[in-house]
Structure formats: structure tokens, C-alpha cells
Amino acid sequence: MNLQQTSNPAVKPVPDELVPSRYALKIGEIDVMVVSDGVLPLPGKMLGHNADPADRAAWLDYNFLPTDKLDWGLNVVVVRSGGKTILIDAGLGDDPNLNLPRAGQLAHRLDAAGIELASVTDVILTHMHMDHIGMLLVDGVKEQLRKDLRIHVAEAEVKFWTHPDFSHVSMPDGFPDALRAAAKRFAEEYRSNLRTFEEKYEVAPGVVVTRTGGHTPGHSVVRLASGGDRLMFAGDAVFAVGFEHPDWFNGFEHDPEEAARVRVRLLKELSASGELLVATHLPFPSIGHVAAEGDAFRWVPIFWDY
């Protein structure tokens, strides 16, 4: 709130959103801000389409969640390091006629956080699903971005979306066509901005993107490290149910068996290192630690620092 405005009773301050949509922290010398793009209401079945329906319903009930439809968080991260302002993923953008009206909030939430699109020097994409590239396709956004914007994405991801395979997914009707269309349009509109990598690339000091595969062939995670602090942005490698049931297949996974192997490997890494985790579809602000618990894991959200 602007204190100068409060001194003049004739000027009413513009209220911020009632529910907070951004959370900032430091990883050593790296500035990090998690920004919510909104939520995606999706069928509960998509949390684990290979699970026994009774077990899936029991997990949802245990967590006081509805069994038919679940609100997935949609988190994006802004990082500042080495003079670069880096956007990690880009939200949903416009609703692609799939009844997702509560997402697509990123552009105005970046503006509310004082982050101008023209200040973004780099974008890292964990993968090219529409809820990770969508804001870049909103009318008027490209014109606000730098002409020399660098978009970092795995070469395997770009190649996959030329002829994507949906034979192992479990998505509601309409989603495969919308995903294909968004990825095709993105590749066409931003081809000259793409900076592809094979396995790993350091985008800025302490900001390294690494291909994991699984969720999609080019799915990647971003590791931040500075001054002894570490954080991993895991994209869609981990969902809320994946700690207790890492073997459950998510409906958006193009290679669900490999995605489960990647999930277990990353969760073991996180539980051993104690570093922070942020993931796209965990409840906002999705910052926490991972603890090993038998053959599974436990999610430990941080206490908010005010």
C-alpha cells in the first residue's frame, strides 16, 4: 500500500487481491518469486489413473478434497541472477475453450508485482504443455517482450511436438487437440527466440536447467544454487499425490512409467539434500522440503516468512 495515498482521505488506495498470489524468497544471492497463474479444475481421476479408484478416493477424502474434481495450483517462478530476469514457465494464457477460467492470471500478476514483460531477458520452459507456454501466446504479449528474448527448452521437447504421441495419456476430451495447437503455434511464433539444449544448460549464475524426460520427452527441471542454498523447480515431475504414491500415473504424462521413475529419483535427491522444492501444480506457494518415509515420501511445506 502507498503510504502517501493513505495520508489523503480523498484518495482511495487500490486494494490488492484478497488472496495473495506471489511469494518471494532468496536463494543465496538469487532472487526468487513464485507467482500463481491461478488454478486448474481437473477430474480427480487424473491424479492417478492407474490407481484403484477406491484408493484414489480414499486419498482425496483423507486430505479433505472432493473426489470428483480437484483444483490444481498453477505456479510460475521469476528468478533474478547475474543481471538476468528469468521467467520459468509462462502459465495458461487464454482459456482454450476447456472451462479453465480461473487460470491465465500471470500477465496482470506480474504487473502487480512490478515485473514488466520488457524486463524479462530469458524464459525457461520445463516443457511445452499449454499451461506452461500460454501467456506467451496471449494477444499483445509478444509485442511487449524483448526482441532478443532467449527461450530455453530441451531440443527433445521441440522435436516431440512436431509429432506428439498421446497414446499413453489419460486426459479429458479436448485437451490433446488444445495441447497440440498451442505447442504448434508457440513453435511457429517463437522459433527465432528458441535456444535449445541437449541435457543441461546454465542460463545464469547458479541457474541450471536439466532435462529429465518422463512427463514429456524434453521435460526439464531447474536447479538454483547460491551461497549454500538450493532450490529445485520440478515442473510437472511431482504432483500433490506423488509424495505418498509416486507410482501413480498422472493423466498428462506421455510416458507414465518413465515419469514415475523420474519422480522417485528426484524425490530421493530432494530428501537426501534437504533443499527446497517448488513444483507447478502443488498448492501455492508450493515451497517446501521432501522427507523420505519408508518406500514413499512426505511433503513438508515451509512456514511462511512475513
Side-chain angles (χ1 to χ4, degrees):
M1 183 177 290
N2 189 319
L3 295 178
Q4 290 180 333
Q5 288 182 326
T6 61
S7 65
N8 183 350
V11 179
K12 293 183 178 180
V14 178
D16 201 351
E17 294 179 289
L18 187 61
V19 177
S21 59
R22 59 184 183 267
Y23 186 90
L25 68 157
K26 297 273 287 188
I27 299 297
E29 296 301 313
I30 300 175
D31 292 315
V32 180
M33 181 180 288
V34 183
V35 183
S36 170
D37 186 59
V39 294
L40 300 170
L42 294 168
K45 179 182 177 181
M46 295 186 67
L47 281 177
H49 61 87
N50 65 323
D52 184 293
D55 292 340
R56 188 172 58 241
W59 184 88
L60 290 163
D61 183 65
Y62 179 78
N63 287 280
F64 293 89
L65 297 169
T67 57
D68 56 341
K69 186 169 287 189
L70 181 65
D71 285 344
W72 292 11
L74 183 49
N75 304 303
V76 172
V77 174
V78 180
V79 171
R80 289 194 173 103
S81 176
K84 295 181 178 181
T85 298
I86 304 162
L87 182 65
I88 306 178
D89 284 342
L92 180 72
D94 293 329
D95 186 353
N97 298 316
L98 293 173
N99 192 29
L100 304 170
R102 293 160 62 204
Q105 308 297 316
L106 183 59
H108 81 259
R109 286 180 172 172
L110 289 175
D111 183 63
I115 301 169
E116 297 181 357
L117 293 179
S119 72
V120 176
T121 59
D122 298 77
V123 175
I124 301 174
L125 298 178
T126 60
H127 59 299
M128 287 167 54
H129 276 161
M130 63 188 175
D131 55 325
H132 298 256
I133 60 175
M135 186 198 70
L136 301 175
L137 301 177
V138 172
D139 287 346
V141 165
K142 188 175 184 180
E143 289 72 21
Q144 298 178 60
L145 296 169
R146 299 163 59 113
K147 299 297 183 184
D148 62 348
L149 177 72
R150 299 172 292 268
I151 302 177
H152 307 275
V153 61
E155 177 64 33
E157 187 71 4
V158 177
K159 183 178 180 181
F160 172 74
W161 286 102
T162 60
H163 297 91
D165 178 8
F166 284 80
S167 61
H168 299 293
V169 302
S170 180
M171 300 179 186
D173 292 342
F175 274 78
D177 288 343
L179 289 163
R180 285 189 190 95
K184 182 174 185 289
R185 182 182 162 202
F186 168 77
E188 291 171 350
E189 292 195 16
Y190 287 94
R191 191 171 305 279
S192 64
N193 299 94
L194 296 183
R195 302 292 184 269
T196 60
F197 62 92
E198 293 296 328
E199 297 297 330
K200 181 185 295 187
Y201 182 71
E202 186 171 25
V203 177
V207 182
V208 178
V209 56
T210 304
R211 187 178 75 86
T212 64
H215 187 75
T216 61
H219 181 277
S220 303
V221 301
V222 184
R223 291 180 174 89
L224 310 180
S226 174
D229 295 337
R230 295 173 66 188
L231 178 148
M232 178 194 295
F233 181 73
D236 283 12
V238 182
F239 298 84
V241 76
F243 301 98
E244 296 164 79
H245 300 285
D247 57 333
W248 285 11
F249 298 165
N250 185 275
F252 283 99
E253 292 167 343
H254 293 261
D255 186 344
E257 292 185 354
E258 177 62 13
R261 287 190 287 268
V262 167
R263 182 157 43 252
V264 169
R265 176 170 58 81
L266 293 177
L267 290 173
K268 285 182 176 179
E269 176 187 335
L270 288 158
S271 65
S273 69
E275 67 193 89
L276 291 171
L277 166 68
V278 176
T280 304
H281 298 298
L282 295 180
F284 177 83
S286 88
I287 305 168
H289 298 279
V290 178
E293 196 157 85
D295 294 330
F297 304 89
R298 181 167 52 92
W299 169 241
V300 186
I302 61 165
F303 281 60
W304 281 38
D305 183 359
Y306 291 93

